[in-house]
Amino acid sequence: MKRRAIIIVCMFVLMLAAGAIAFYEVSRPVLIAIDPVSSKPNEVVSLFGRNFGEQPGHVLFDAAPLPSPAVLYWSPQLISIRMPHGVDTAIVRIQTRFGLSNPLMLADAAKIPEISKSAPIPNIHPVISSMQPTTNAQIGKPLIVSGDHFGDPEEGSAVFFTRIASVSTLALDDPANFIEVNSADKLVEVWTENKITVRVPDGAENGFVFIRTKRGPSNVYPVAVSRAMGRTWKGETAKYSIEQRIAIHVAASLPEGQLSLFLAKPPNQANQNAQIEVKRGAEYLVADENNWQEFRLGQADASKGKIEIVRGLQVDVSEMRADLASSSLQGIDSPWPAFLASSLAADTLVPSDDPTIQAAALAIQKKEKNPFRQIVLASQWVSSNVKLNDKSQGLSDEALVALKHKAGGTRALALLNCAILRALGIPAVPVAGFLATGDNRLIPHFWGEYYLTGMGWIPFDPLLASGYVPQQFSGGFSDRLIYYRGIDNRHIAMSRGYRLLPAVSREVQKKQKVSWSFFEYDELSLGLSYSSTWDIAMISWNANP
């Protein structure tokens, strides 16, 4: 019996030892890449990897630790150092309390022979020589990239930011690992041969930046993104299968008669991904833009009598929340950045220049300077001054009409919330779509998104946050106040913000069939006598943790 107890104790000790060894192996620092691999004394060198730890350890050059002033930045995936003097080549390792990393080589660029300038260079890749800032970069703030051979801002030229913090520099060809900011994007403010100024996009993580042009990719350069303002995160995803069906009955047509139907495309954004399949009527598709599709029928189609267009929508929606460091939030720089200008100015939907809206914003600003608390006060102002009538869901449910009559539907109240935020200097866009119920129904609904520097776009539902619960809707946040800084996966966005469609002549008749498109019109007809029905239904959905 005593012998058996000794054996059990020994086995237990061995299991503990094996577990400890496995833990230390998994926790051991790993050095993935050094950029640049050759550097001159005092230049910044970046070490990429994992398991570096939150607290600084040691950077070893040929087993000798660098002095602490030479270590500029330390995070679990990125370390920035200054290249020391007197180093020709060195074996670099990271040392933490969990052990030593694998070795990588670093060389002094001044000791490497230069390529003869007379030698032909058939294809010069872009080169990043410096970047400001490399630490504490913020979502929405400018990042200045200096170097050479960036070329002109042409098609195919782009800046890439790490999307996944632990991604290796070896994974540059996988687009899922990076956020691509095209040179024509409004986030890009300057693009010259030697300098690029780009705003840090939503979703950028600690890692690196590189440039790609028609000549190929640049070297990678490290960047650490500050989370001092907080961060957004995604939760459970729900997958929806939706069918949209439009039936057109043509009675008669003039020789040049035609009918155009404009259908919104569900937006792809941080918490939603949508795919569209035209199941019926693809022969009528004449325009497929980023936000809408146009189907056009001519006089030749009139003889068919009834025509159907059917689209299948596969939409994945994730719960999204923002954890805010409220006291650290900042306002938007003046003058407005180009990529936010349209979400700060008044437009057809969002009357942020209305005197009553301006006065409400001024009163809020006198009470509160913090952007997030201003957002909450704006919602409270709307719910206090405009009574919700959830039966009013038509296109006549406009913000200023509701403000005048002190009553309006969810569309008008969502637009008023966005209007006050814009008047406060907080970028905001309205969102139209549906709430999904557990019994496969779609309830038309409206909400919005606002933008905070350092955080990016944050979806919010001011109506649900104020306590409104549509009939037969359940499955949202149990704490309604979360809707001030997040959205559940039951919100299916169909249209985001004001969308301008092609201009038309006075002779053309405009009609609107659905309120959730945010279009000026959904149907355009000329010389065609017809009737139409628009239906949309959820076929199925499921939630995946």
Side-chain angles (χ1 to χ4, degrees), residues 43-249:
E43 287 186 345
V44 176
V45 177
S46 298
L47 314 177
F48 298 97
R50 59 179 181 270
N51 300 336
F52 295 159
E54 296 287 350
Q55 300 301 318
H58 297 288
V59 179
L60 305 182
F61 271 54
D62 291 333
L66 283 183
S68 56
V71 180
L72 306 177
Y73 178 79
W74 191 293
S75 74
Q77 293 93 24
L78 171 66
I79 300 170
S80 295
I81 64 171
R82 286 201 182 278
M83 182 71 174
H85 290 268
V87 175
D88 292 344
T89 60
I91 294 174
V92 179
R93 291 176 182 264
I94 308 301
Q95 184 180 45
T96 72
R97 63 192 180 95
F98 294 110
L100 280 174
S101 75
N102 56 300
L104 288 181
M105 187 70 72
L106 178 62
D108 185 341
K111 305 294 178 67
I112 298 176
E114 293 187 5
I115 299 173
S116 170
K117 293 183 179 179
S118 62
I121 304 177
N123 188 19
I124 305 174
H125 285 214
V127 177
I128 301 175
S129 58
S130 66
M131 197 161 61
Q132 291 293 331
T134 55
T135 60
N136 294 320
Q138 293 183 13
I139 303 293
K141 290 280 192 176
L143 188 75
I144 301 173
V145 184
S146 300
D148 206 357
H149 312 306
F150 296 155
D152 296 322
E154 57 193 355
E155 184 177 356
S157 294
V159 185
F160 292 80
F161 290 80
T162 297
R163 186 196 303 272
I164 302 171
S166 60
V167 71
S168 165
T169 56
L170 303 177
L172 300 186
D173 292 330
D174 187 351
N177 294 327
F178 302 96
I179 300 167
E180 179 180 353
V181 181
N182 190 277
S183 60
D185 196 289
K186 290 183 179 179
L187 285 166
V188 176
E189 298 179 343
V190 175
W191 189 298
T192 67
E193 179 74 4
N194 310 106
K195 177 182 176 182
I196 297 171
T197 301
V198 56
R199 300 271 176 167
V200 180
D202 279 26
E205 290 285 352
N206 289 347
F208 47 88
V209 168
F210 69 95
I211 312 297
R212 191 188 297 276
T213 70
K214 63 182 180 181
R215 294 174 174 175
S218 73
N219 57 311
V220 299
Y221 207 90
V223 63
V225 179
S226 170
R227 297 299 177 188
M229 271 66 74
R231 66 181 303 133
T232 56
W233 58 274
K234 292 194 294 185
E236 182 178 312
T237 298
K239 297 178 179 292
Y240 298 96
S241 177
I242 298 171
E243 185 174 88
Q244 184 179 15
R245 184 180 297 269
I246 303 172
I248 303 104
H249 298 267

Side-chain angles (χ1 to χ4, degrees), residues 329-351:
L329 297 177
Q330 305 171 7
I332 302 298
D333 295 336
S334 181
W336 297 337
F339 79 103
L340 291 175
S342 63
S343 56
L344 280 162
D347 60 34
T348 300
L349 290 172
V350 183

